[in-house]
């Protein structure tokens, strides 16, 4: 009995030793390969990996790694080749002919039925991808991208032609949107609706695993066509690992512990922990973290629904009073830790062609009080009140505005509600005033003026305010016919001035891209659209 008991003890100890050794080896291997994996958290869930549904930033960030289009934008928003190596535009600006690169291959998949389980991209693939984008059965939110397209066709395997209904100077930049990515017909038809979770593209990374709301993994595409300036094949990383912690505080803690390589948001729950009021890293993090800032084509604003039956909203006097009634510089310093630029110009943000320091509203409480007093005398309303809808992320900003305007005689009620509710009510015209963001879809100032074109009234377009001005509409329509960039930008400036003069909105600030990375992350650059580009990123071994 003693011998048997001794035998079991020895066996148990051997198993424990083997397990410890295995775990140690696994940890050692993981540690050795950690520099080959880029890790970030997506606190807003990804709804689809199909580029036809790349509507919001979480979907765009992930599909950016998996797909390519005809053209791409560099970090300065210049249009450069992607799958199309070059293109020609007709003199009337109606016809675009793209010459495709040869030997660009889709990610491997058994459904290709070829010896190497892949095939080259040809012009017919773009015909299929565009057909799918406008197909009502697919119901892509990106179908508007092709609304000005008359037709398109494959001339041969390497020539793809697009004809427009009318000139649209921003069209080339529009093709850089992820919606316009190329996808393979045989794979999409094989998966049907499940292509959303089984994506096959041409991008620098290929799909590996998606446990929805838990984990998403991409692996290096060994067939990727792009190379760096030294001729080395991209990407440098072996994998991308994405988690879905819904809580920003938890995300920050994971980043602070070195378990994430990137932190792309500056939430109120930890901004003061990371940054000084002037926007600099606190000393405790200087040896661990890098911070980078850059222009972001995002205008933050308050919007007024001008068809509201409330006389306060219809009053240009009160709308202008709100614009004058608070200090944007103070707001940025104390509530945004110096991140962002006070919007003392128009709606077109800094960094976008068409921005030219058009004078807007500066802090002038005396002027604000004068306008409010005039409104009271004209209407007999001695207690004007305006409700502003916002989500919790912007509550402190709206409450700051509330306090400042109460000093000059205007009551503000701040309604905090989920962002999804605000979105729905904005489209339905059920909010008298709301806090909103407008982020550029493509690098042309027309993108920031379309929300004020009268034919774009919600729910048929993005004109949430239902602003209407005949001169604005005329200038907007004329701008499409102007091929000279400088002349077109002059039109944009005039339109922006009309928005300032009639005050359907209150510009708050022009945002900035702020990224925090671990010290060993290299090659990650900012861009004004805040897109995540990982093909040139690498990590130094710790």
């Amino acid at each position: 009995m003693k011998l048997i008991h001794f035998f079991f003890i020895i066996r148990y100890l051997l198993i424990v030793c083997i397990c410890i050794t295995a775990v140690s080896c696994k940890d050692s291997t993981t540690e050795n390969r950690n520099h080959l994996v880029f890790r970030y958290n997506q606190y807003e869930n990804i709804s689809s990996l199909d580029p036809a549904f790349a509507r919001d930033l979480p979907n765009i960030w992930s599909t950016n790694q998996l797909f390519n289009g005809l053209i791409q934008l560099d970090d300065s928003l210049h249009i450069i080749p992607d799958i199309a190596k070059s293109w020609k535009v007709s003199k009337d600006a109606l016809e675009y002919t793209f010459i495709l690169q040869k030997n660009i291959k889709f990610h491997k998949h058994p459904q290709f039925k070829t010896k190497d389980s892949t095939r080259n991209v040809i012009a017919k693939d773009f015909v299929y991808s565009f057909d799918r984008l406008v197909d009502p059965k697919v119901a892509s939110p990106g179908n508007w991208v092709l609304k000005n397209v008359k037709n398109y066709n494959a001339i041969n395997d390497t020539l793809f032609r697009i004809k427009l209904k009318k000139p649209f100077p921003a069209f080339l930049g529009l093709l850089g949107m992820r919606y316009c990515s190329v996808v393979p017909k045989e794979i999409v038809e094989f998966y049907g609706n499940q292509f959303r979770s089984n994506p096959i593209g041409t991008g620098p990374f290929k799909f590996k695993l998606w446990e929805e709301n838990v984990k998403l993994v991409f692996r290096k595409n060994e067939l990727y066509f792009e190379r760096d300036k030294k001729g080395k094949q991209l990407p440098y990383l072996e994998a991308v690992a994405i988690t879905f912690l819904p809580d920003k505080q938890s995300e920050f803690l994971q980043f602070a512990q070195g378990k994430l390589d990137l932190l792309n948001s500056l939430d109120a729950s930890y901004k003061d922990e990371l940054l000084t009021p002037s926007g600099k890293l606190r000393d405790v993090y200087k040896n661990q973290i890098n911070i980078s800032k850059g222009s972001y084509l995002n205008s933050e604003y308050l919007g007024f629904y001008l068809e509201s039956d409330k006389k306060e909203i219809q009053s240009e006097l009160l709308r202008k009073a709100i614009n004058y009634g608070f200090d944007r510089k103070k707001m940025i310093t104390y509530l945004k830790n110096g991140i962002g630029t006070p919007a003392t110009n128009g709606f077109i943000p800094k960094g976008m062609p068409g921005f030219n320091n058009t004078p807007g509203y500066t802090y002038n409480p005396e002027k604000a009080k004068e306008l409010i007093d005039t409104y009271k005398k004209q209407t007999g309303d001695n207690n004007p009140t305006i409700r502003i809808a916002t989500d919790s992320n912007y509550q402190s900003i709206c409450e700051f505005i509330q306090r400042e305007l109460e000093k000059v005689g205007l009551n503000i009620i701040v309604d905090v509600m989920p962002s999804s509710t605000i979105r729905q009510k904005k489209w339905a015209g059920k909010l008298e005033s709301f806090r909103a963001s407008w982020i550029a879809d493509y690098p042309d100032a027309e993108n920031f003026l379309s929300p004020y074109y009268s034919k774009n009234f919600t729910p048929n377009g993005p004109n949430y305010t239902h602003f209407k001005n005949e001169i604005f509409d005329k200038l907007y329509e004329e701008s499409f016919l102007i091929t000279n960039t400088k002349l077109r930008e002059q039109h944009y400036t005039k339109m922006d001035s009309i928005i300032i003069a009639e005050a359907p909105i209150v510009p708050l600030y022009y945002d900035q891209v702020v990224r925090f990375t671990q010290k060993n992350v290299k090659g990650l650059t900012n861009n004004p659209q805040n897109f995540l580009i990982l093909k040139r990123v690498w990590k130094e071994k710790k």
Side-chain angles (χ1 to χ4, degrees), residues 467-493:
F467 173 75
K468 183 175 183 178
N469 178 287
E470 290 183 6
I471 297 173
F472 182 97
D473 285 353
K474 183 173 180 289
L475 290 167
Y476 182 80
E477 290 166 359
E478 286 176 356
S479 69
F480 288 94
L481 305 175
I482 302 172
T483 55
N484 183 290
T485 302
K486 288 187 178 179
L487 289 177
R488 191 166 72 254
E489 287 175 5
Q490 289 175 15
H491 263 55
Y492 292 160
T493 301

Side-chain angles (χ1 to χ4, degrees), residues 215-345:
K215 183 194 301 182
L216 176 60
V217 179
F218 302 144
R219 295 298 302 271
K220 179 178 184 175
N221 174 17
E222 67 279 5
L223 303 176
Y224 194 57
F225 63 94
E226 283 193 280
R227 296 181 177 273
D228 64 17
K229 292 179 180 179
K230 295 181 179 179
K232 186 176 180 179
Q233 185 184 24
L234 301 175
Y236 304 127
L237 295 163
E238 286 293 329
V240 178
I242 305 164
T243 53
F244 297 92
L245 293 170
D247 178 55
K248 290 187 179 181
Q249 181 67 28
S250 299
E251 179 186 55
F252 169 67
L253 290 173
Q254 289 281 300
F255 178 73
Q257 292 168 13
K259 295 177 182 178
L260 295 173
D261 296 306
L262 168 68
L263 186 66
N264 188 62
S265 61
L266 188 64
D267 191 67
S269 65
Y270 59 77
K271 66 180 179 68
D272 293 325
E273 165 75 11
L274 261 182
L275 298 180
T276 65
S278 61
K280 294 180 180 179
L281 268 178
R282 293 198 179 275
D283 290 343
V284 67
Y285 291 108
K286 282 184 178 179
N287 293 328
Q288 178 191 347
I289 295 170
N290 285 328
I291 180 175
S292 63
K293 303 177 187 178
S295 296
Y296 187 16
L297 300 185
N298 173 24
S299 291
E300 298 282 343
Y301 69 104
L302 302 179
F304 302 103
Y305 181 62
L306 300 183
E307 291 190 345
S308 168
D309 56 6
K310 284 206 67 176
K311 58 183 181 295
E312 289 99 328
I313 298 299
Q314 294 170 4
S315 170
E316 190 175 300
L317 291 170
L318 291 188
R319 299 199 305 268
K320 286 184 175 179
I322 295 174
N323 269 290
Y324 282 120
F326 65 100
D327 190 337
R328 291 167 174 82
K329 291 180 181 178
K330 186 178 178 181
M331 179 184 73
I332 291 293
T333 300
Y334 294 105
L335 298 179
K336 291 282 294 174
N337 293 72
I339 305 301
T341 304
T344 53
N345 302 98

Side-chain angles (χ1 to χ4, degrees), residues 169-191:
F171 182 67
L172 259 182
L174 210 61
L175 293 177
M177 297 185 71
R178 205 68 290 144
Y179 290 133
C180 300
S181 300
V182 66
V183 296
K185 180 178 180 180
E186 55 267 65
I187 307 299
V188 175
E189 292 186 347
F190 175 72
Y191 283 113

Side-chain angles (χ1 to χ4, degrees), residues 349-377:
K350 284 192 172 182
M352 174 67 82
F355 176 90
N356 71 345
N357 289 310
T358 302
Y361 294 93
T362 54
Y363 181 47
N364 190 336
E366 294 80 14
K367 181 69 174 176
K369 189 175 188 308
E370 179 187 322
L371 290 167
I372 293 167
D373 289 343
T374 302
Y375 166 84
K376 290 177 179 178
K377 289 176 184 177

